[in-house]
Amino acid sequence: MVVRAPYTRTVETHSADETIALGRALAPLLGPPCVVVLTGELGAGKTTLIKGIAEGFQAAKQEDVTSPTFTLVHEYRGPAVTLYHVDLYRVDTPRELETLGLDDLLEPNSVILLEWGEKFARFGRERDVEIRIERTGEDERRITVNHAPQSQPAAG
Ligand code: ADP
Ligand code: MG
């Protein structure tokens, strides 16, 4: 079992390439099964960071990671982990969310990366990691990674 101590780390990046490099470095910290919520306004760099995460898992090349704004879910298969890249920007109701069948994606070797996951309260409870991206300049971003403590199974 992977024991995750709660922690928060903040990093500043100064280019999209630096954010991609950060994503590659983060991949080993996202042990499956893992639900990651990425927050930040449009153009903050959520998809850009996921390019690096996908490379870190050897699941996709950065140029093959694109925004699933219309298709809603992209799947990238790595040797050890399957990534699901989800964009909930256009998903507004719990019923629409239901039709995506995200529950079925959470296998033992899954890492689920949710853009706009904060729109739905359930992901506040179910997320293992929150990554917040703030635009602090044209090419500057403040990226905060917040690992939730290992959730305990319910008693009884
Ligand atoms: P989101 O998915 O949050 O809407 P994207 O990753 O699609 O955002 O877009 C981020 C845009 O900002 C890209 O055009 C990227 O090249 C640009 N950018 C500039 N500087 C950075 C940086 N430091 N980190 C991430 N993206 C950056
Ligand atoms: Mg995006």
Side-chain angles (χ1 to χ4, degrees):
M1 183 180 86
V2 180
V3 177
R4 301 189 198 101
Y7 77 79
T8 300
R9 292 278 184 290
T10 301
V11 175
E12 307 258 356
T13 67
H14 307 86
S15 67
D17 280 346
E18 271 188 38
T19 295
I20 291 171
L22 175 66
R24 281 195 291 264
L26 285 176
L29 303 177
L30 308 177
C34 190
V35 176
V36 182
V37 171
L38 297 104
T39 71
E41 62 193 25
L42 271 181
K46 301 179 293 297
T47 299
T48 301
L49 186 69
I50 290 170
K51 287 172 181 280
I53 293 172
E55 287 199 336
F57 282 113
Q58 299 169 49
K61 287 183 283 194
Q62 56 179 269
E63 57 269 29
D64 295 329
V65 173
T66 56
S67 180
T69 305
F70 295 98
T71 43
L72 305 180
V73 184
H74 285 171
E75 182 179 327
Y76 317 117
R77 275 180 196 272
V81 163
T82 299
L83 300 185
Y84 294 99
H85 177 191
V86 185
D87 189 339
L88 299 176
Y89 185 64
R90 285 167 197 279
V91 176
D92 289 316
T93 66
R95 193 190 173 90
E96 287 172 315
L97 181 65
E98 190 84 1
T99 62
L100 294 181
L102 297 184
D103 291 330
D104 298 336
L105 304 181
L106 195 59
E107 299 276 322
N109 70 337
S110 300
V111 173
I112 300 185
L113 302 159
L114 294 168
E115 298 191 38
W116 298 100
E118 74 274 21
K119 287 172 71 174
F120 296 94
R122 60 171 280 201
F123 298 120
R125 298 186 296 272
E126 294 170 17
R127 71 170 185 236
D128 301 293
V129 180
E130 180 193 28
I131 301 176
R132 200 166 68 237
I133 307 180
E134 295 159 282
R135 197 175 182 279
T136 51
E138 183 64 29
D139 293 326
E140 285 73 41
R141 302 292 189 270
R142 183 182 299 126
I143 301 174
T144 304
V145 180
N146 183 20
H147 266 250
Q150 184 82 39
S151 57
Q152 300 297 318

Short mmCIF file of all heavy atoms in Angstrom, two decimals, residues 41-48 50 66-69 85-87 89 115-116, ligand 2:
data_model
loop_
_atom_site.label_atom_id
_atom_site.label_comp_id
_atom_site.label_asym_id
_atom_site.label_seq_id
_atom_site.Cartn_x
_atom_site.Cartn_y
_atom_site.Cartn_z
N GLU A 41 -8.31 28.83 -14.06
CA GLU A 41 -9.16 29.39 -15.12
C GLU A 41 -8.75 28.85 -16.49
O GLU A 41 -7.71 28.21 -16.64
CB GLU A 41 -9.05 30.92 -15.08
CG GLU A 41 -7.64 31.40 -15.37
CD GLU A 41 -7.41 32.89 -15.03
OE1 GLU A 41 -8.14 33.43 -14.18
OE2 GLU A 41 -6.49 33.47 -15.63
N LEU A 42 -9.57 29.13 -17.49
CA LEU A 42 -9.26 28.75 -18.88
C LEU A 42 -7.90 29.33 -19.26
O LEU A 42 -7.63 30.51 -19.02
CB LEU A 42 -10.30 29.34 -19.83
CG LEU A 42 -11.55 28.52 -20.13
CD1 LEU A 42 -12.42 29.29 -21.12
CD2 LEU A 42 -11.21 27.14 -20.64
N GLY A 43 -7.04 28.50 -19.81
CA GLY A 43 -5.72 28.96 -20.22
C GLY A 43 -4.70 28.98 -19.09
O GLY A 43 -3.56 29.43 -19.28
N ALA A 44 -5.09 28.49 -17.92
CA ALA A 44 -4.15 28.46 -16.79
C ALA A 44 -2.99 27.51 -17.08
O ALA A 44 -1.83 27.79 -16.75
CB ALA A 44 -4.87 28.04 -15.51
N GLY A 45 -3.31 26.36 -17.67
CA GLY A 45 -2.25 25.40 -17.97
C GLY A 45 -2.55 23.99 -17.49
O GLY A 45 -1.64 23.16 -17.38
N LYS A 46 -3.82 23.70 -17.26
CA LYS A 46 -4.20 22.36 -16.77
C LYS A 46 -3.84 21.30 -17.81
O LYS A 46 -3.20 20.28 -17.49
CB LYS A 46 -5.71 22.32 -16.46
CG LYS A 46 -6.14 23.35 -15.40
CD LYS A 46 -7.63 23.33 -15.12
CE LYS A 46 -8.52 23.77 -16.27
NZ LYS A 46 -8.31 25.19 -16.67
N THR A 47 -4.26 21.52 -19.04
CA THR A 47 -3.97 20.55 -20.10
C THR A 47 -2.46 20.45 -20.34
O THR A 47 -1.92 19.36 -20.56
CB THR A 47 -4.71 20.94 -21.39
OG1 THR A 47 -6.13 20.93 -21.13
CG2 THR A 47 -4.42 19.95 -22.52
N THR A 48 -1.79 21.58 -20.24
CA THR A 48 -0.32 21.60 -20.44
C THR A 48 0.37 20.74 -19.38
O THR A 48 1.27 19.95 -19.69
CB THR A 48 0.18 23.06 -20.39
OG1 THR A 48 -0.49 23.80 -21.42
CG2 THR A 48 1.68 23.14 -20.58
N ILE A 50 -0.92 18.27 -17.81
CA ILE A 50 -1.27 16.87 -18.06
C ILE A 50 -0.42 16.28 -19.19
O ILE A 50 -0.11 15.09 -19.18
CB ILE A 50 -2.79 16.75 -18.33
CG1 ILE A 50 -3.55 17.01 -17.01
CG2 ILE A 50 -3.16 15.37 -18.90
CD1 ILE A 50 -5.06 17.16 -17.17
N THR A 66 -4.34 16.34 -25.91
CA THR A 66 -5.09 17.53 -26.29
C THR A 66 -6.31 17.64 -25.38
O THR A 66 -6.68 16.69 -24.70
CB THR A 66 -5.56 17.45 -27.76
OG1 THR A 66 -6.33 16.24 -27.91
CG2 THR A 66 -4.37 17.42 -28.70
N SER A 67 -6.92 18.81 -25.40
CA SER A 67 -8.03 19.06 -24.50
C SER A 67 -9.25 18.21 -24.87
O SER A 67 -9.71 18.25 -26.01
CB SER A 67 -8.40 20.53 -24.55
OG SER A 67 -9.47 20.75 -23.67
N PRO A 68 -9.78 17.44 -23.93
CA PRO A 68 -11.01 16.69 -24.23
C PRO A 68 -12.26 17.53 -23.99
O PRO A 68 -13.22 17.09 -23.38
CB PRO A 68 -10.92 15.51 -23.24
CG PRO A 68 -10.11 16.02 -22.09
CD PRO A 68 -9.26 17.16 -22.59
N THR A 69 -12.22 18.75 -24.49
CA THR A 69 -13.33 19.67 -24.23
C THR A 69 -14.64 19.14 -24.82
O THR A 69 -15.69 19.25 -24.20
CB THR A 69 -13.02 21.05 -24.83
OG1 THR A 69 -11.77 21.48 -24.29
CG2 THR A 69 -14.09 22.06 -24.47
N HIS A 85 -8.13 11.38 -18.91
CA HIS A 85 -8.08 12.84 -18.91
C HIS A 85 -9.48 13.36 -19.22
O HIS A 85 -9.99 13.13 -20.30
CB HIS A 85 -7.04 13.26 -19.97
CG HIS A 85 -6.91 14.73 -20.17
ND1 HIS A 85 -6.20 15.26 -21.23
CD2 HIS A 85 -7.36 15.79 -19.46
CE1 HIS A 85 -6.24 16.59 -21.16
NE2 HIS A 85 -6.94 16.93 -20.10
N VAL A 86 -10.07 14.00 -18.24
CA VAL A 86 -11.48 14.38 -18.32
C VAL A 86 -11.59 15.90 -18.22
O VAL A 86 -10.91 16.52 -17.40
CB VAL A 86 -12.28 13.73 -17.16
CG1 VAL A 86 -13.77 14.02 -17.30
CG2 VAL A 86 -12.02 12.23 -17.08
N ASP A 87 -12.43 16.49 -19.05
CA ASP A 87 -12.68 17.93 -18.98
C ASP A 87 -14.17 18.15 -18.72
O ASP A 87 -15.01 17.84 -19.57
CB ASP A 87 -12.25 18.60 -20.29
CG ASP A 87 -12.28 20.12 -20.20
OD1 ASP A 87 -12.99 20.66 -19.31
OD2 ASP A 87 -11.62 20.77 -21.01
N TYR A 89 -15.64 21.03 -18.22
CA TYR A 89 -16.03 22.42 -18.48
C TYR A 89 -17.45 22.52 -19.03
O TYR A 89 -18.21 23.41 -18.66
CB TYR A 89 -15.03 23.06 -19.46
CG TYR A 89 -15.26 24.52 -19.71
CD1 TYR A 89 -15.11 25.45 -18.66
CD2 TYR A 89 -15.61 25.00 -20.97
CE1 TYR A 89 -15.30 26.80 -18.88
CE2 TYR A 89 -15.80 26.34 -21.20
CZ TYR A 89 -15.65 27.24 -20.15
OH TYR A 89 -15.84 28.58 -20.37
N GLU A 115 -10.10 18.00 -15.23
CA GLU A 115 -10.15 19.46 -15.36
C GLU A 115 -11.57 19.90 -15.01
O GLU A 115 -12.53 19.28 -15.42
CB GLU A 115 -9.79 19.89 -16.79
CG GLU A 115 -8.38 19.48 -17.18
CD GLU A 115 -7.90 20.13 -18.48
OE1 GLU A 115 -8.23 21.31 -18.72
OE2 GLU A 115 -7.20 19.44 -19.24
N TRP A 116 -11.68 20.93 -14.22
CA TRP A 116 -12.97 21.47 -13.76
C TRP A 116 -13.73 20.51 -12.84
O TRP A 116 -14.95 20.59 -12.70
CB TRP A 116 -13.87 21.87 -14.96
CG TRP A 116 -13.23 22.96 -15.79
CD1 TRP A 116 -12.56 22.77 -16.97
CD2 TRP A 116 -13.17 24.36 -15.52
NE1 TRP A 116 -12.08 23.97 -17.44
CE2 TRP A 116 -12.45 24.96 -16.58
CE3 TRP A 116 -13.64 25.16 -14.48
CZ2 TRP A 116 -12.20 26.34 -16.63
CZ3 TRP A 116 -13.40 26.51 -14.55
CH2 TRP A 116 -12.69 27.08 -15.61
MG MG B 2 -7.72 22.31 -20.56
#
